[in-house]
Amino acid sequence: MGSNYDQQLIERNVKPTAMRQLVYTVLNEQKTAISLAELEQKFEKVDRVTLYRTLKTFEDKKVIHAIEDGTGSVKYALCQDTCECNPKDLHVHFHCTECGQTYCLNDIQVPGINLPQNFTLESVNMVVKGVCDECNK
Amino acid sequence: MGSNYDQQLIERNVKPTAMRQLVYTVLNEQKTAISLAELEQKFEKVDRVTLYRTLKTFEDKKVIHAIEDGTGSVKYALCQDTCECNPKDLHVHFHCTECGQTYCLNDIQVPGINLPQNFTLESVNMVVKGVCDECNK
DNA sequence: AAAACTATGCAACTGTATTGCAAAGTTATT
DNA sequence: AATAACTTTGCAATACAGTTGCATAGTTTT
Ligand SMILES: [Mn+2]
Ligand SMILES: [Mn+2]
Ligand SMILES: [Zn+2]
Ligand SMILES: [Zn+2]
């Protein structure tokens, strides 16, 4: 009997172990991106390294994407169904300097850039910092 | 008798101590942005914390700007003369995944973004990753 | 010259990320 | 069904960037 999310893991070539199902479920519940340390706190007892490796596996297999928001801890969020993490799939992220939350602005595609001669592009990390709607209330 | 660079420090309200002159000189010699650890290696004997605080002071006073390139160590580069580190002063950065260098693309301004309702903008960190011209030779 | 302020140096500490290795669990082979 | 091969998980230890506290040295003001 497979969990609701097994299919999504299988589609990305990740074996849906118990641990991975749990992690996927937690990630799916988040409105904003989450760090390894924050993920760890969602569980009563879990090994940090197992979570670390689960996140790495998810990232490799494009189940999640990493966001370097400059806080010193990398944040993670589920990829959209259609996402292949190509430059054209990438969206902008927003980091609130007030509450510390990091948002996926899934609707805002990363703008194209004309690089100088002989520079070739692989990916883009674009993080806007400011105050989020919640904190602006 | 003041060093060549004293004026630039004074203009930014930083007292040009011997240490700060040295650090400024090293920063000025760099073609690409530099981390605290790399800066430390440019000196025979220097205290890491002093360099750390020098960089913090320089950053506060807008002598330099910080670049979060996602490598785990923040890079620093001198600001342009006209820079006030406002959103419109910001440029794109490029991190080469081959040689690890982080470039200031001073000519490429960070594109404007239409944030969602009630999100307010303070700054933007945009890092393009790929292979630089040197490594593409 | 003394007092007040600023900058530097050293030691210690925090937190994130990462590796090695052994044990447990799963899948494939006989 | 037993064995072997492979994958995943757990625990211990380590690496390293960033940061703080406090004492000393240096500078500026009174
Ligand atoms: Mn995202
Ligand atoms: Mn720059
Ligand atoms: Zn907020
Ligand atoms: Zn390069």
Side-chain angles (χ1 to χ4, degrees):
Chain A
M1 179 222 70
S3 114
N4 300 2
Y5 302 125
D6 282 13
Q7 204 50 45
Q8 324 223 29
L9 291 177
I10 293 165
E11 272 170 22
R12 299 287 188 167
N13 291 306
V14 176
K15 264 192 279 184
T17 65
M19 191 75 245
R20 288 166 179 174
Q21 289 169 347
L22 286 170
V23 172
Y24 190 100
T25 304
V26 171
L27 287 168
N28 195 51
E29 283 164 356
Q30 306 309 308
K31 281 202 291 273
T32 53
I34 193 177
S35 69
L36 171 59
E38 286 162 347
L39 180 61
E40 194 182 358
Q41 288 167 356
K42 304 283 174 185
F43 296 89
E44 288 230 340
K45 187 190 172 300
V46 72
D47 182 51
R48 202 170 60 257
V49 177
T50 302
L51 292 180
Y52 168 78
R53 288 197 262 236
T54 303
L55 290 175
K56 275 272 170 282
T57 304
F58 281 10
E59 191 185 1
D60 284 351
K61 298 303 176 66
K62 294 167 184 166
V63 174
I64 61 178
H65 59 282
I67 306 141
E68 293 146 2
D69 62 11
T71 57
S73 62
V74 179
K75 305 296 192 307
Y76 299 92
L78 288 184
C79 285
Q80 309 276 84
D81 280 354
T82 58
C83 176
E84 289 298 330
C85 295
N86 297 323
K88 64 176 178 51
D89 290 325
L90 303 173
H91 53 266
V92 175
H93 292 97
F94 184 91
H95 176 74
C96 179
T97 54
E98 197 126 338
C99 64
Q101 298 291 303
T102 297
Y103 295 76
C104 285
L105 304 181
N106 283 306
D107 298 337
I108 307 182
Q109 211 186 318
V110 168
I113 291 289
N114 285 319
L115 290 176
Q117 274 291 322
N118 297 318
F119 281 69
T120 49
L121 181 147
E122 282 167 8
S123 71
V124 182
N125 182 51
M126 183 169 184
V127 179
V128 176
K129 301 187 189 191
V131 181
C132 76
D133 55 350
E134 285 298 316
C135 292
N136 266 328
K137 268 180 188 163
Chain B
M1 175 225 71
S3 112
N4 301 0
Y5 303 126
D6 282 13
Q7 204 49 45
Q8 324 225 27
L9 292 177
I10 293 166
E11 271 169 24
R12 300 286 188 169
N13 291 305
V14 176
K15 264 193 282 186
T17 65
M19 190 76 247
R20 288 167 179 173
Q21 289 170 347
L22 285 170
V23 171
Y24 190 98
T25 304
V26 171
L27 287 167
N28 195 50
E29 285 166 354
Q30 306 308 309
K31 281 201 293 270
T32 54
I34 193 176
S35 68
L36 171 58
E38 286 161 347
L39 180 61
E40 195 183 357
Q41 288 168 357
K42 304 282 174 185
F43 295 89
E44 287 231 339
K45 186 189 172 301
V46 73
D47 183 50
R48 199 171 65 259
V49 178
T50 302
L51 291 180
Y52 169 76
R53 289 197 263 234
T54 301
L55 290 174
K56 275 272 169 282
T57 303
F58 281 10
E59 191 185 359
D60 283 353
K61 299 302 176 67
K62 294 168 185 164
V63 174
I64 60 176
H65 58 283
I67 306 141
E68 293 146 0
D69 63 10
T71 57
S73 63
V74 178
K75 304 298 192 304
Y76 299 92
L78 289 183
C79 285
Q80 310 277 82
D81 280 354
T82 60
C83 177
E84 288 299 329
C85 294
N86 297 321
K88 63 175 178 55
D89 289 324
L90 302 172
H91 53 264
V92 174
H93 292 98
F94 183 92
H95 176 74
C96 178
T97 54
E98 198 126 337
C99 63
Q101 298 291 305
T102 297
Y103 295 77
C104 287
L105 303 181
N106 284 306
D107 298 336
I108 307 181
Q109 211 185 318
V110 168
I113 291 290
N114 285 317
L115 290 176
Q117 274 291 321
N118 296 318
F119 281 69
T120 48
L121 180 145
E122 283 167 7
S123 71
V124 182
N125 183 51
M126 183 170 186
V127 179
V128 177
K129 300 186 191 191
V131 181
C132 76
D133 55 351
E134 284 298 316
C135 293
N136 266 328
K137 270 178 187 165

